[in-house]
Amino acid sequence: MQTPQSLSAIQQALSAGTLSCTDLVEHYLDRIETTRHLNIYIEVFAEEARRKARELDQKRQAGESTGRLAGMVLSIKDVICYKDHLVTAGSHILSGYRSLFSSTAVERILAEDAIIIGRVNCDEFAMGSTTETSCYGPTRNAADPDYIPGGSSGGSAVAVQAETCLASLGSDTGGSVRQPAAFCGVIGLKPTYGRISRHGLLAYGSSFDQIGILSHNTHDAALLLEIMAGPDDYDGTASRKPVPAYSEQLSFGRPARLAYFREAMEHPGLDPGIKAACEAWIEQARAQGHTVEPVEFPLLEYIIPTYYVLTTAEASSNLSRYDGIRYGYRSPNARNLLETYTRSRTEGFGAEVKRRIMLGAFVLSAGYYDAYYGKAQQARRLIRDATMKILDHYDFIFLPAAPGTAWRLNETVDDPLAMYLADIFTVQANLAGIPAIALPAGVHENGLPIGIQLMGKPFAEGELLGFAEELRS
Amino acid sequence: MPRPVCRRLPCSTVFAFCIQPFTFFILRDYSRYETVIGLEIHLQLSTQSKAFCGDAIRFGADPNTQVSPVSLGLPGVLPRLNERQVEYAVRLGLALGSEINLCNTFDRKNYFYADLPKGYQITQDRSPICIGGGLDIRVGDGEVKRVRIHHIHMEEDAGKSIHDAHDDHSLIDLNRAGTPLLEIVSEPDLRSAEEVDAYMSAMRRLARYLEISDGNMQEGSMRCDCNVSVRLKGETRLGQRCEIKNLNSMRYARRAIEFETRRQIDLLESGERVAQQTLNFDPATGATSPLRDKEDAHDYRYFPEPDLLPVTLSADYVQSIKANMPALPWEMYQELVTTYGLAENEAAILSEEKAAALFYKELCRFSSNNKTAANLLVQKYLPWCDENNRQPDEGPLSPEQLADFVRLIDEGKVAHAAAYQFIFPALIDQPQKTPLSIAQELNLIQNADSDFLDRLTDEVIADFPDKVTEYRSGKKGLLGFFMGEVMKRSKGKAEPKTTSGMLSKKLEA
């Protein structure tokens, strides 16, 4: 069986009777089995997926209607709560922790008959750009298993890339959906902050976090977004803005105006192969009648420091609840309360998470707050305002998804700063809270996928997806 | 699943600092000093559900039963604001004359403790909801003093740690975690334990009038931290202060302040300095002891709570709360004095609890005499309600019945003493009967019949010729003696006014 590449293909085959949900699930389970060496899945919900597939097949045979996601087989990143299932954020500190509730995103896709086939690997608490900080070991890029898949949603990206499921839910705090999507040659959508409820998403940087979608095509991303987005009583920061029917109007319909940053294209860290691919992409867009113009963005160099000060600050507080008292890992060596905290957290968290907690605690501490956290808040405001100003004149901002292609495993393990700097083109969307999408843009001469990125105005997911779809066809 | 047990908490530092013993042997002039006190009152709001989730709030429920994933701080949960707590805060602010902050933001206060599930408390650090204002209290000689309010902010409560229920473990109950609190921070305007007492009583009364909290200190609905410093009288600068944490009864607050005042004066008098410390009060010893020094004060790393959007209040919203403000205690008191003509002390007692004051006003709608009605409530009915743990309007007697009772006295049908002593308890036992029928059954209806009184007074005058002589020689006070005799012989039924008139006439003759 050939792996189907879109939900519409699957649903057509289901209607025609040439495919059953059971066949589909068995196929994906086979794919999961044959890609074990990539270490994508932390847990496969095989029996559950089979049962749900049988139910859907019976429904179809009985002529009953099924949900809009019938035939959609997904995986979820290990930071998204699914009732009665383990969720561990790739961390030893949550070993054995089973969620009492489902995230709003999961509830909404299940209500439309999606099948969740498993829980995929990620950087510990989504902190990392390589999926190497997971306590379950690294996930490998299916294009070349010696290379990282990007991160933190590396498991999600490879799950789609290696055709073990049709789409995957990830989370994007500073590029964690888009960067691995680019490294693995799939589509990665980070919606506007607040578009999808964060209820049931394990928090990293609360004012940045957003659930995102990794898929083979824009149609599937549009439909999933449409179903998951919208207000939620469990998340006061979820937007009350009406959710358009993205999947039904997947076009842009007019010549678009795009801006790109001169500073980005001339950045010394930008790989020449990526630069060439970007230039080719720009030329192609122009050839299709769109306007692509260079603009100045002198704040580019402040993006990474601003992002790391603010997210680590929030993380240091968000991760305080993992204290060994109520759930998760508790050190057996602790003899009193203080040791319960210090030992459980020392033994339970990995190095990258501890580094960020300490950084965050530092930038919030008395005497340093103004110099770091306060300044970074101001910088964030400036970056957002400058970004919005550009978007007043342009529909989209074009950027590479990352300065290079995926790198070899272990290359940045001892050089976190190099890893942080690789986020330079993705964190802007999270600082500004705007939607962004990473799209495949060919293959580098080193054989690895290249991705480009488009950022849009707040809540312009429809335009982003429509434009991407038009460019493709 | 949540495990309510954690390892015993360390208490090593608490007793490291010894209380200065026996300083009271040294003669010191404590009266040269004055105590300066500022209070932080934590008021638990009586909302149906918690500050940031839908969990119920019920005191006394089984441990860890009023908890959802939000109260437990499980991974992936987010707070959502209970708007009722905002309304309650505005109500209190308006009553205290505070300025209401229309753009409210929340902050996180980070610290680790076993009863703090998220590892941070949601509070308002940068923009408290109420700024300024004040509360009048009555001090010593009835003088009115204004205690200024610095600000009031909203926050959530932590859970409860129980350290004495188990040998090697502390127990954690998270039912209280997330209960909405108002922290009311006063200026350092209080000067004695008595003033603290008066201030806390007044705040409790106000909270109950506003129906925002039951102010019950035993159940922890109202607790306070005291900032205490001392200085020589006449000095205008403030002394170094110490903060005494978690005083959960007025008695403890009083004892703690008294102890702490002495301790600080003793330090100064022996040439030492008061160190800025956070103190714990031990009710068993009556002493304060350091919890932590300034050097190792917590760094709470406050920062804006990213999970809650700013809460913007409109002027209309504030106006609508203002328009629907319930009666305030001092307004009620004033009304009882001026409109109902009550004495200050009676008005004070009746306005102590809103339910009592409202019940009194209802009673007066039916009653012939406001003062007799007030006396009946103050002397008999409210004490009975207190003893039997009932609200006045939940008791066995309706305002109409009590009004009938008042009328019985007021119209002279029953003697005041007899009514209080016999009819009141009988009426409580048989509330289905009228006061009049009980008076008749007990044979307590007063008799003003002149033949009856004529005979009785004659008898008494005849039986005590010596006393009559004494009276006539100027010992007019003996009238009471004759009255008493008549009352005794009439079994209390002789109508006192007529009787006394008749007696004096006959004695003067």
mmCIF file of all heavy atoms in Angstrom, chain B residues 17 35-40 225-230 239-245 247 256-257 260-261 263-264 267 273-280 288-294:
data_model
loop_
_atom_site.group_PDB
_atom_site.id
_atom_site.type_symbol
_atom_site.label_atom_id
_atom_site.label_comp_id
_atom_site.label_asym_id
_atom_site.label_seq_id
_atom_site.Cartn_x
_atom_site.Cartn_y
_atom_site.Cartn_z
ATOM 1 N N PHE B 17 16.966 31.243 67.659
ATOM 2 C CA PHE B 17 17.090 32.528 68.331
ATOM 3 C C PHE B 17 16.292 32.456 69.619
ATOM 4 O O PHE B 17 15.119 32.149 69.621
ATOM 5 C CB PHE B 17 16.513 33.603 67.404
ATOM 6 C CG PHE B 17 16.731 35.002 67.894
ATOM 7 C CD1 PHE B 17 17.757 35.773 67.378
ATOM 8 C CD2 PHE B 17 15.882 35.528 68.856
ATOM 9 C CE1 PHE B 17 17.935 37.065 67.821
ATOM 10 C CE2 PHE B 17 16.067 36.821 69.285
ATOM 11 C CZ PHE B 17 17.096 37.603 68.777
ATOM 12 N N THR B 35 4.134 52.322 70.366
ATOM 13 C CA THR B 35 4.192 51.228 69.397
ATOM 14 C C THR B 35 3.544 51.702 68.096
ATOM 15 O O THR B 35 2.512 52.368 68.137
ATOM 16 C CB THR B 35 3.392 50.013 69.918
ATOM 17 O OG1 THR B 35 3.724 49.839 71.283
ATOM 18 C CG2 THR B 35 3.717 48.765 69.134
ATOM 19 N N VAL B 36 4.155 51.371 66.995
ATOM 20 C CA VAL B 36 3.592 51.735 65.693
ATOM 21 C C VAL B 36 3.291 50.449 64.941
ATOM 22 O O VAL B 36 4.163 49.602 64.774
ATOM 23 C CB VAL B 36 4.569 52.613 64.892
ATOM 24 C CG1 VAL B 36 4.004 52.926 63.513
ATOM 25 C CG2 VAL B 36 4.878 53.893 65.659
ATOM 26 N N ILE B 37 2.032 50.300 64.529
ATOM 27 C CA ILE B 37 1.632 49.033 63.921
ATOM 28 C C ILE B 37 0.931 49.270 62.586
ATOM 29 O O ILE B 37 0.069 50.143 62.468
ATOM 30 C CB ILE B 37 0.659 48.271 64.858
ATOM 31 C CG1 ILE B 37 1.281 48.116 66.247
ATOM 32 C CG2 ILE B 37 0.319 46.899 64.275
ATOM 33 C CD1 ILE B 37 0.260 47.897 67.341
ATOM 34 N N GLY B 38 1.329 48.505 61.608
ATOM 35 C CA GLY B 38 0.611 48.451 60.336
ATOM 36 C C GLY B 38 0.148 47.023 60.147
ATOM 37 O O GLY B 38 0.831 46.091 60.551
ATOM 38 N N LEU B 39 -1.013 46.862 59.545
ATOM 39 C CA LEU B 39 -1.585 45.529 59.442
ATOM 40 C C LEU B 39 -1.763 45.104 57.986
ATOM 41 O O LEU B 39 -2.127 45.910 57.132
ATOM 42 C CB LEU B 39 -2.963 45.536 60.117
ATOM 43 C CG LEU B 39 -3.196 44.546 61.246
ATOM 44 C CD1 LEU B 39 -2.125 44.671 62.298
ATOM 45 C CD2 LEU B 39 -4.567 44.778 61.860
ATOM 46 N N GLU B 40 -1.509 43.841 57.739
ATOM 47 C CA GLU B 40 -1.907 43.235 56.458
ATOM 48 C C GLU B 40 -2.963 42.211 56.790
ATOM 49 O O GLU B 40 -2.665 41.183 57.382
ATOM 50 C CB GLU B 40 -0.709 42.564 55.796
ATOM 51 C CG GLU B 40 0.358 43.541 55.351
ATOM 52 C CD GLU B 40 1.675 42.863 55.014
ATOM 53 O OE1 GLU B 40 1.691 41.642 54.771
ATOM 54 O OE2 GLU B 40 2.699 43.560 55.021
ATOM 55 N N ASP B 225 -1.083 39.678 59.289
ATOM 56 C CA ASP B 225 0.329 39.847 59.594
ATOM 57 C C ASP B 225 0.462 41.251 60.180
ATOM 58 O O ASP B 225 -0.134 42.194 59.663
ATOM 59 C CB ASP B 225 1.185 39.783 58.321
ATOM 60 C CG ASP B 225 1.036 38.460 57.585
ATOM 61 O OD1 ASP B 225 0.583 37.477 58.205
ATOM 62 O OD2 ASP B 225 1.372 38.415 56.385
ATOM 63 N N CYS B 226 1.231 41.360 61.280
ATOM 64 C CA CYS B 226 1.404 42.666 61.926
ATOM 65 C C CYS B 226 2.825 43.171 61.711
ATOM 66 O O CYS B 226 3.779 42.446 61.978
ATOM 67 C CB CYS B 226 1.206 42.556 63.431
ATOM 68 S SG CYS B 226 -0.480 42.309 63.928
ATOM 69 N N ASN B 227 2.956 44.403 61.277
ATOM 70 C CA ASN B 227 4.265 45.053 61.233
ATOM 71 C C ASN B 227 4.381 45.945 62.454
ATOM 72 O O ASN B 227 3.618 46.889 62.613
ATOM 73 C CB ASN B 227 4.394 45.885 59.960
ATOM 74 C CG ASN B 227 4.578 44.996 58.754
ATOM 75 O OD1 ASN B 227 5.592 44.326 58.627
ATOM 76 N ND2 ASN B 227 3.577 44.951 57.888
ATOM 77 N N VAL B 228 5.321 45.610 63.312
ATOM 78 C CA VAL B 228 5.430 46.301 64.594
ATOM 79 C C VAL B 228 6.782 46.992 64.707
ATOM 80 O O VAL B 228 7.817 46.389 64.402
ATOM 81 C CB VAL B 228 5.282 45.301 65.766
ATOM 82 C CG1 VAL B 228 5.381 46.022 67.102
ATOM 83 C CG2 VAL B 228 3.977 44.534 65.656
ATOM 84 N N SER B 229 6.757 48.260 65.140
ATOM 85 C CA SER B 229 8.012 48.924 65.495
ATOM 86 C C SER B 229 7.728 49.794 66.715
ATOM 87 O O SER B 229 6.573 50.033 67.061
ATOM 88 C CB SER B 229 8.529 49.778 64.333
ATOM 89 O OG SER B 229 7.635 50.832 64.059
ATOM 90 N N VAL B 230 8.791 50.222 67.393
ATOM 91 C CA VAL B 230 8.597 51.123 68.538
ATOM 92 C C VAL B 230 9.457 52.369 68.327
ATOM 93 O O VAL B 230 10.435 52.338 67.574
ATOM 94 C CB VAL B 230 8.985 50.454 69.881
ATOM 95 C CG1 VAL B 230 8.092 49.256 70.162
ATOM 96 C CG2 VAL B 230 10.437 50.052 69.899
ATOM 97 N N GLY B 239 10.588 53.482 63.607
ATOM 98 C CA GLY B 239 11.646 52.577 64.032
ATOM 99 C C GLY B 239 11.766 51.401 63.075
ATOM 100 O O GLY B 239 10.976 51.267 62.144
ATOM 101 N N GLN B 240 12.777 50.578 63.305
ATOM 102 C CA GLN B 240 12.937 49.371 62.473
ATOM 103 C C GLN B 240 11.785 48.411 62.786
ATOM 104 O O GLN B 240 11.486 48.154 63.943
ATOM 105 C CB GLN B 240 14.294 48.715 62.796
ATOM 106 C CG GLN B 240 14.619 47.523 61.934
ATOM 107 C CD GLN B 240 14.722 47.878 60.470
ATOM 108 O OE1 GLN B 240 13.737 47.783 59.731
ATOM 109 N NE2 GLN B 240 15.892 48.303 60.034
ATOM 110 N N ARG B 241 11.152 47.868 61.740
ATOM 111 C CA ARG B 241 9.967 47.059 62.015
ATOM 112 C C ARG B 241 10.250 45.574 61.887
ATOM 113 O O ARG B 241 11.161 45.145 61.185
ATOM 114 C CB ARG B 241 8.844 47.427 61.056
ATOM 115 C CG ARG B 241 9.104 46.978 59.641
ATOM 116 C CD ARG B 241 8.021 47.490 58.700
ATOM 117 N NE ARG B 241 8.492 47.459 57.332
ATOM 118 C CZ ARG B 241 8.383 46.402 56.548
ATOM 119 N NH1 ARG B 241 7.878 45.272 57.000
ATOM 120 N NH2 ARG B 241 8.820 46.439 55.312
ATOM 121 N N CYS B 242 9.431 44.812 62.592
ATOM 122 C CA CYS B 242 9.430 43.366 62.430
ATOM 123 C C CYS B 242 8.035 42.953 62.018
ATOM 124 O O CYS B 242 7.048 43.560 62.419
ATOM 125 C CB CYS B 242 9.789 42.670 63.739
ATOM 126 S SG CYS B 242 11.533 42.851 64.133
ATOM 127 N N GLU B 243 7.974 41.920 61.198
ATOM 128 C CA GLU B 243 6.672 41.462 60.729
ATOM 129 C C GLU B 243 6.327 40.157 61.421
ATOM 130 O O GLU B 243 7.091 39.192 61.351
ATOM 131 C CB GLU B 243 6.717 41.263 59.212
ATOM 132 C CG GLU B 243 5.376 40.819 58.655
ATOM 133 C CD GLU B 243 5.395 40.595 57.143
ATOM 134 O OE1 GLU B 243 6.490 40.595 56.557
ATOM 135 O OE2 GLU B 243 4.307 40.380 56.571
ATOM 136 N N ILE B 244 5.191 40.144 62.107
ATOM 137 C CA ILE B 244 4.739 38.906 62.749
ATOM 138 C C ILE B 244 3.704 38.262 61.828
ATOM 139 O O ILE B 244 2.709 38.877 61.469
ATOM 140 C CB ILE B 244 4.112 39.164 64.136
ATOM 141 C CG1 ILE B 244 4.976 40.155 64.933
ATOM 142 C CG2 ILE B 244 3.950 37.856 64.897
ATOM 143 C CD1 ILE B 244 4.313 40.640 66.209
ATOM 144 N N LYS B 245 3.991 37.018 61.466
ATOM 145 C CA LYS B 245 3.205 36.344 60.429
ATOM 146 C C LYS B 245 2.004 35.609 60.990
ATOM 147 O O LYS B 245 2.047 35.105 62.113
ATOM 148 C CB LYS B 245 4.088 35.303 59.728
ATOM 149 C CG LYS B 245 5.017 35.899 58.689
ATOM 150 C CD LYS B 245 4.184 36.310 57.510
ATOM 151 C CE LYS B 245 5.004 36.536 56.261
ATOM 152 N NZ LYS B 245 4.235 37.312 55.286
ATOM 153 N N LEU B 247 -1.254 35.653 62.156
ATOM 154 C CA LEU B 247 -1.975 35.681 63.418
ATOM 155 C C LEU B 247 -3.431 35.377 63.104
ATOM 156 O O LEU B 247 -4.079 36.126 62.394
ATOM 157 C CB LEU B 247 -1.797 37.053 64.072
ATOM 158 C CG LEU B 247 -0.332 37.343 64.395
ATOM 159 C CD1 LEU B 247 -0.128 38.804 64.716
ATOM 160 C CD2 LEU B 247 0.148 36.471 65.540
ATOM 161 N N ALA B 256 0.726 38.873 70.755
ATOM 162 C CA ALA B 256 1.949 38.969 69.958
ATOM 163 C C ALA B 256 2.472 40.406 69.957
ATOM 164 O O ALA B 256 3.670 40.653 70.101
ATOM 165 C CB ALA B 256 1.686 38.494 68.532
ATOM 166 N N ILE B 257 1.549 41.358 69.810
ATOM 167 C CA ILE B 257 1.960 42.760 69.750
ATOM 168 C C ILE B 257 2.514 43.200 71.103
ATOM 169 O O ILE B 257 3.540 43.877 71.189
ATOM 170 C CB ILE B 257 0.771 43.656 69.335
ATOM 171 C CG1 ILE B 257 0.459 43.407 67.850
ATOM 172 C CG2 ILE B 257 1.084 45.122 69.570
ATOM 173 C CD1 ILE B 257 -0.893 43.906 67.434
ATOM 174 N N GLU B 260 5.922 41.663 71.490
ATOM 175 C CA GLU B 260 6.894 42.212 70.553
ATOM 176 C C GLU B 260 7.284 43.651 70.940
ATOM 177 O O GLU B 260 8.445 44.041 70.823
ATOM 178 C CB GLU B 260 6.322 42.153 69.129
ATOM 179 C CG GLU B 260 7.247 42.613 68.025
ATOM 180 C CD GLU B 260 8.566 41.875 67.981
ATOM 181 O OE1 GLU B 260 8.670 40.772 68.553
ATOM 182 O OE2 GLU B 260 9.519 42.424 67.393
ATOM 183 N N THR B 261 6.307 44.419 71.419
ATOM 184 C CA THR B 261 6.585 45.789 71.865
ATOM 185 C C THR B 261 7.628 45.768 72.975
ATOM 186 O O THR B 261 8.635 46.488 72.943
ATOM 187 C CB THR B 261 5.287 46.431 72.386
ATOM 188 O OG1 THR B 261 4.329 46.425 71.337
ATOM 189 C CG2 THR B 261 5.525 47.861 72.828
ATOM 190 N N ARG B 263 9.717 43.375 73.724
ATOM 191 C CA ARG B 263 11.002 42.840 73.248
ATOM 192 C C ARG B 263 11.816 43.946 72.573
ATOM 193 O O ARG B 263 12.999 44.116 72.837
ATOM 194 C CB ARG B 263 10.770 41.697 72.257
ATOM 195 C CG ARG B 263 12.037 40.998 71.812
ATOM 196 C CD ARG B 263 11.782 39.954 70.726
ATOM 197 N NE ARG B 263 11.520 40.539 69.421
ATOM 198 C CZ ARG B 263 12.461 40.854 68.536
ATOM 199 N NH1 ARG B 263 13.733 40.658 68.817
ATOM 200 N NH2 ARG B 263 12.136 41.386 67.370
ATOM 201 N N GLN B 264 11.132 44.727 71.738
ATOM 202 C CA GLN B 264 11.852 45.771 70.995
ATOM 203 C C GLN B 264 12.328 46.884 71.937
ATOM 204 O O GLN B 264 13.449 47.375 71.808
ATOM 205 C CB GLN B 264 10.973 46.346 69.883
ATOM 206 C CG GLN B 264 10.727 45.345 68.752
ATOM 207 C CD GLN B 264 10.017 45.965 67.556
ATOM 208 O OE1 GLN B 264 9.954 47.176 67.427
ATOM 209 N NE2 GLN B 264 9.490 45.129 66.674
ATOM 210 N N LEU B 267 15.333 45.715 73.811
ATOM 211 C CA LEU B 267 16.529 45.773 72.955
ATOM 212 C C LEU B 267 17.087 47.191 72.927
ATOM 213 O O LEU B 267 18.270 47.415 73.153
ATOM 214 C CB LEU B 267 16.190 45.339 71.529
ATOM 215 C CG LEU B 267 16.132 43.839 71.242
ATOM 216 C CD1 LEU B 267 15.669 43.600 69.810
ATOM 217 C CD2 LEU B 267 17.498 43.189 71.462
ATOM 218 N N ARG B 273 20.120 47.138 68.753
ATOM 219 C CA ARG B 273 19.235 47.588 67.672
ATOM 220 C C ARG B 273 18.242 46.500 67.324
ATOM 221 O O ARG B 273 18.518 45.311 67.485
ATOM 222 C CB ARG B 273 20.065 47.948 66.446
ATOM 223 C CG ARG B 273 20.768 49.293 66.602
ATOM 224 C CD ARG B 273 21.826 49.499 65.566
ATOM 225 N NE ARG B 273 21.329 49.251 64.213
ATOM 226 C CZ ARG B 273 22.083 49.358 63.143
ATOM 227 N NH1 ARG B 273 23.354 49.678 63.262
ATOM 228 N NH2 ARG B 273 21.581 49.128 61.944
ATOM 229 N N VAL B 274 17.095 46.960 66.842
ATOM 230 C CA VAL B 274 16.093 45.997 66.380
ATOM 231 C C VAL B 274 16.481 45.596 64.962
ATOM 232 O O VAL B 274 16.738 46.448 64.124
ATOM 233 C CB VAL B 274 14.684 46.630 66.373
ATOM 234 C CG1 VAL B 274 13.657 45.675 65.797
ATOM 235 C CG2 VAL B 274 14.301 47.057 67.788
ATOM 236 N N ALA B 275 16.570 44.296 64.731
ATOM 237 C CA ALA B 275 16.898 43.829 63.383
ATOM 238 C C ALA B 275 15.602 43.584 62.619
ATOM 239 O O ALA B 275 14.625 43.108 63.186
ATOM 240 C CB ALA B 275 17.698 42.535 63.469
ATOM 241 N N GLN B 276 15.614 43.939 61.342
ATOM 242 C CA GLN B 276 14.418 43.679 60.532
ATOM 243 C C GLN B 276 14.275 42.184 60.309
ATOM 244 O O GLN B 276 15.164 41.543 59.746
ATOM 245 C CB GLN B 276 14.510 44.406 59.191
ATOM 246 C CG GLN B 276 13.210 44.247 58.400
ATOM 247 C CD GLN B 276 13.231 45.015 57.091
ATOM 248 O OE1 GLN B 276 14.002 45.934 56.901
ATOM 249 N NE2 GLN B 276 12.365 44.605 56.182
ATOM 250 N N GLN B 277 13.174 41.656 60.811
ATOM 251 C CA GLN B 277 12.990 40.207 60.747
ATOM 252 C C GLN B 277 11.543 39.874 60.459
ATOM 253 O O GLN B 277 10.646 40.674 60.686
ATOM 254 C CB GLN B 277 13.327 39.579 62.110
ATOM 255 C CG GLN B 277 14.798 39.494 62.413
ATOM 256 C CD GLN B 277 15.043 39.045 63.834
ATOM 257 O OE1 GLN B 277 14.288 39.380 64.746
ATOM 258 N NE2 GLN B 277 16.091 38.285 64.019
ATOM 259 N N THR B 278 11.354 38.667 59.988
ATOM 260 C CA THR B 278 10.014 38.115 59.914
ATOM 261 C C THR B 278 9.877 37.158 61.085
ATOM 262 O O THR B 278 10.745 36.315 61.306
ATOM 263 C CB THR B 278 9.811 37.378 58.592
ATOM 264 O OG1 THR B 278 10.054 38.299 57.537
ATOM 265 C CG2 THR B 278 8.403 36.844 58.474
ATOM 266 N N LEU B 279 8.820 37.358 61.869
ATOM 267 C CA LEU B 279 8.685 36.595 63.109
ATOM 268 C C LEU B 279 7.489 35.666 63.072
ATOM 269 O O LEU B 279 6.519 35.884 62.364
ATOM 270 C CB LEU B 279 8.508 37.568 64.287
ATOM 271 C CG LEU B 279 9.572 38.639 64.470
ATOM 272 C CD1 LEU B 279 9.097 39.667 65.488
ATOM 273 C CD2 LEU B 279 10.879 38.014 64.918
ATOM 274 N N ASN B 280 7.613 34.667 63.910
ATOM 275 C CA ASN B 280 6.536 33.721 64.082
ATOM 276 C C ASN B 280 6.025 33.906 65.506
ATOM 277 O O ASN B 280 6.813 34.176 66.404
ATOM 278 C CB ASN B 280 7.147 32.327 63.898
ATOM 279 C CG ASN B 280 6.101 31.259 63.876
ATOM 280 O OD1 ASN B 280 5.022 31.471 63.326
ATOM 281 N ND2 ASN B 280 6.419 30.131 64.477
ATOM 282 N N THR B 288 7.389 35.720 70.379
ATOM 283 C CA THR B 288 7.694 35.736 68.955
ATOM 284 C C THR B 288 9.113 35.215 68.778
ATOM 285 O O THR B 288 9.949 35.371 69.661
ATOM 286 C CB THR B 288 7.621 37.164 68.380
ATOM 287 O OG1 THR B 288 8.582 37.980 69.061
ATOM 288 C CG2 THR B 288 6.238 37.754 68.541
ATOM 289 N N SER B 289 9.365 34.593 67.614
ATOM 290 C CA SER B 289 10.722 34.127 67.338
ATOM 291 C C SER B 289 10.977 34.277 65.852
ATOM 292 O O SER B 289 10.054 34.207 65.046
ATOM 293 C CB SER B 289 10.877 32.675 67.766
ATOM 294 O OG SER B 289 9.886 31.897 67.123
ATOM 295 N N PRO B 290 12.251 34.504 65.468
ATOM 296 C CA PRO B 290 12.533 34.800 64.063
ATOM 297 C C PRO B 290 12.247 33.620 63.144
ATOM 298 O O PRO B 290 12.596 32.488 63.456
ATOM 299 C CB PRO B 290 14.025 35.103 64.057
ATOM 300 C CG PRO B 290 14.397 35.324 65.461
ATOM 301 C CD PRO B 290 13.452 34.563 66.301
ATOM 302 N N LEU B 291 11.604 33.925 62.038
ATOM 303 C CA LEU B 291 11.367 32.949 60.988
ATOM 304 C C LEU B 291 12.509 33.085 59.981
ATOM 305 O O LEU B 291 13.053 32.126 59.496
ATOM 306 C CB LEU B 291 10.032 33.283 60.316
ATOM 307 C CG LEU B 291 9.136 32.193 59.776
ATOM 308 C CD1 LEU B 291 8.912 31.096 60.798
ATOM 309 C CD2 LEU B 291 7.789 32.802 59.390
ATOM 310 N N ARG B 292 12.828 34.322 59.681
ATOM 311 C CA ARG B 292 13.970 34.585 58.812
ATOM 312 C C ARG B 292 14.425 36.037 58.964
ATOM 313 O O ARG B 292 13.637 36.919 59.296
ATOM 314 C CB ARG B 292 13.641 34.281 57.356
ATOM 315 C CG ARG B 292 12.376 34.943 56.868
ATOM 316 C CD ARG B 292 12.073 34.594 55.422
ATOM 317 N NE ARG B 292 10.822 35.225 55.046
ATOM 318 C CZ ARG B 292 9.647 34.599 55.039
ATOM 319 N NH1 ARG B 292 9.554 33.339 55.373
ATOM 320 N NH2 ARG B 292 8.541 35.243 54.691
ATOM 321 N N ASP B 293 15.715 36.254 58.701
ATOM 322 C CA ASP B 293 16.278 37.592 58.753
ATOM 323 C C ASP B 293 16.137 38.263 57.405
ATOM 324 O O ASP B 293 15.832 37.626 56.412
ATOM 325 C CB ASP B 293 17.762 37.525 59.118
ATOM 326 C CG ASP B 293 17.928 37.178 60.590
ATOM 327 O OD1 ASP B 293 16.999 37.463 61.365
ATOM 328 O OD2 ASP B 293 18.974 36.611 60.947
ATOM 329 N N LYS B 294 16.423 39.558 57.416
ATOM 330 C CA LYS B 294 16.327 40.315 56.171
ATOM 331 C C LYS B 294 17.262 39.737 55.112
ATOM 332 O O LYS B 294 16.909 39.637 53.945
ATOM 333 C CB LYS B 294 16.678 41.781 56.431
ATOM 334 C CG LYS B 294 16.324 42.683 55.264
ATOM 335 C CD LYS B 294 16.846 44.082 55.481
ATOM 336 C CE LYS B 294 16.608 44.953 54.259
ATOM 337 N NZ LYS B 294 17.307 46.229 54.375
#
